[in-house]
Amino acid sequence: MNGIQDAVAIVTGASSGIGRAAAVRFAAEGASVVAADVGVEGGEETVATIEEAGGEATFVETDVSDADDVAAMVDEAVERYGGLDVAFNNAGIEGENDPTADQPADNWERVIDVNLKGVFLGMQAEIPAMLDDGGGAIINTSSIAGEVGFPGLSPYVASKHGVIGLTKTAALEYSGEGVRVNAICPGVIRTPMVDRSAEDDPEMIEQVSAATPIGRIGEPEEIGDAAVWLCSDDASFVTGEAMVIDGGYVSQ
Ligand code: NAI
């Protein structure tokens, strides 16, 4: 894809699922990847996968809800690879499943801290580095839960609606300065996050597949590839967009 070869790309949540698939694809396209995550073992596996395929990556242990960690993540990209062109702010947690009135306050705080504040802190650190480096592209991971409600998941749904608002606002602020900002809204994707939900509800994947026009859930590569495309020059006129990638689920 145009513009990804030789780019410096940060991917958060790169130790697993969608983030790992995107990190692998960014590297396959020729980017140098900073793989950031709280999960050290998974992050090292992602880097090893990239290196075995001949790509370039480094792991940085990062809690995206911690401003110092996030600043250090961006510093690492700039110091190691000489700048920052692309950031995929993707780390997220699903949190507890309870009706709104029963949601524990600490679950609200944790989900908002990681999913929403994490994206905000990421953009605060990434945008100045991109402006110093002639511009760039940011993708923030929202969800179809950023478009519609899901019973039992009020903190998650609020966080993912918030990610779309942050994305549109940053796009208005920085697109004229050469930083495009977009969100992706995946449907149900086969990752460890969904495997955890399926443990409590074994028929979930089958039911979602049946309710999805394409007739199945998605694969992490189908989201990672879209994120890479949105960051590439092939998407040079796309900004402020929340791209739904869900096999048609929310179009019904
Ligand atoms: P996953 O659980 O496989 O991967 C999430 C990664 O984020 C993990 O490696 C985890 O260690 C990391 N992470 C969690 N908290 C962190 C923190 N504070 N700082 C840094 N890293 C942290 O999940 P998956 O499915 O790959 O999810 C990635 C993103 O996609 C999330 O934002 C999720 O909400 C979103 N999403 C996932 C969907 C799905 O069906 N799998 C659907 C829609 C959105």
Side-chain angles (χ1 to χ4, degrees):
M1 288 184 218
N2 286 317
I4 299 297
Q5 195 176 10
D6 302 328
V8 179
I10 288 175
V11 179
T12 73
S15 295
S16 177
I18 292 168
R20 171 176 286 172
V24 167
R25 181 68 195 265
F26 272 120
E29 294 287 333
S32 299
V33 175
V34 172
D37 204 294
V38 282
V40 176
E41 200 179 321
E44 285 168 354
E45 280 172 25
T46 300
V47 169
T49 302
I50 289 170
E51 288 176 344
E52 278 160 24
E56 174 62 42
T58 188
F59 174 69
V60 182
E61 187 176 352
T62 308
D63 178 347
V64 296
S65 67
D66 182 298
D68 291 340
D69 272 18
V70 172
M73 168 186 85
V74 172
D75 287 349
E76 179 71 15
V78 172
E79 281 161 24
R80 183 179 283 255
Y81 296 123
L84 181 64
D85 306 296
V86 162
F88 183 28
N89 295 311
N90 163 77
I93 54 174
E94 65 275 33
E96 311 273 331
N97 190 327
D98 285 304
T100 299
D102 301 328
Q103 273 285 344
D106 60 346
N107 182 54
W108 168 267
E109 278 159 23
R110 190 65 193 140
V111 171
I112 296 293
D113 265 7
V114 175
N115 294 6
L116 186 57
K117 185 176 153 200
V119 168
F120 177 69
L121 293 176
M123 291 201 294
Q124 279 205 311
E126 292 151 4
I127 288 167
M130 289 179 180
L131 293 174
D132 283 349
D133 200 22
I138 294 176
I139 308 299
N140 299 319
T141 302
S142 176
S143 167
I144 52 172
E147 300 274 338
V148 297
F150 282 89
L153 291 175
S154 47
Y156 185 82
V157 169
S159 73
K160 294 302 188 181
H161 275 67
V163 166
I164 294 177
L166 284 178
T167 299
K168 288 179 176 170
T169 301
L172 297 181
E173 292 167 340
Y174 295 104
S175 295
E177 295 180 66
V179 179
R180 294 184 299 106
V181 188
N182 291 291
I184 51 170
C185 302
V188 175
I189 308 301
R190 193 185 311 279
T191 70
M193 179 182 281
V194 163
D195 292 343
R196 286 190 291 274
S197 304
E199 275 171 23
D200 299 332
D201 182 2
E203 284 160 25
M204 187 268 277
I205 291 177
E206 212 172 297
Q207 285 167 353
V208 173
S209 299
T212 300
I214 279 187
R216 61 174 175 84
I217 66 168
E219 299 298 330
E221 292 74 16
E222 293 177 292
I223 307 303
D225 290 356
V228 176
W229 176 78
L230 275 170
C231 289
S232 77
D233 292 342
D234 296 338
S236 52
F237 202 51
V238 184
T239 196
E241 168 66 5
M243 181 191 274
V244 174
I245 309 164
D246 71 341
Y249 187 89
V250 295
S251 299
Q252 304 174 86

